[in-house]
Amino acid sequence: MIEETNNSDVVEEVLAWFTAYNAARRAGDAEALNGFFWNSPSTVRFGPTETLFGIESIAAFRLGKWKAPAMSREIVRVAVTAFGRDAATTNALFRSANGKVSRQSQTWARFPEGWKIAAAHVSAAPDEGAA
């Protein structure tokens, strides 16, 4: 049973990890991005063109087909929700330089080595999705 939601310390920690993940993405650092994901066959990442089950698939995609973003994107809005002290979600809207909006959802879990993404989903948003 979850006894506490949105503990401010947990929200702050997860937001810092989320920010570091997005900095690695901007820098095109595939190895760093892979390090943010839980090292498990149960890890999942759905992207605009890919459906990846397991850390091996995610790492192979990042180190192979994935290319660093050609244009920058800015965070329009991010919501962090903490469930207890060891689980949280981040949901964000981003706007690219060309005005397109995308969504990113991540499920984070605390492990001995720090916070890791257990599941992620990235997709395009309709134009009105940037509210």
Side-chain angles (χ1 to χ4, degrees), residues 8-88:
S8 60
D9 291 337
V10 175
V11 169
E12 187 176 314
E13 284 177 36
V14 172
L15 185 57
W17 283 80
F18 166 88
T19 301
Y21 171 88
N22 283 289
R25 183 191 172 282
R26 265 191 320 279
D29 189 340
E31 278 196 47
L33 288 171
N34 286 337
F36 281 96
F37 283 86
W38 178 31
N39 186 3
S40 170
S42 298
T43 304
V44 177
R45 182 186 181 278
F46 296 157
T49 62
E50 64 280 354
T51 302
L52 306 169
F53 287 90
I55 189 61
E56 289 183 7
S57 294
I58 295 166
F61 169 74
R62 287 279 189 214
L63 296 173
K65 231 170 95 172
W66 183 76
K67 301 292 180 235
M71 66 177 75
S72 64
R73 65 180 190 171
E74 68 174 283
I75 297 172
V76 175
R77 184 173 183 175
V78 63
V80 179
T81 305
F83 301 96
R85 309 251 342 136
D86 299 317

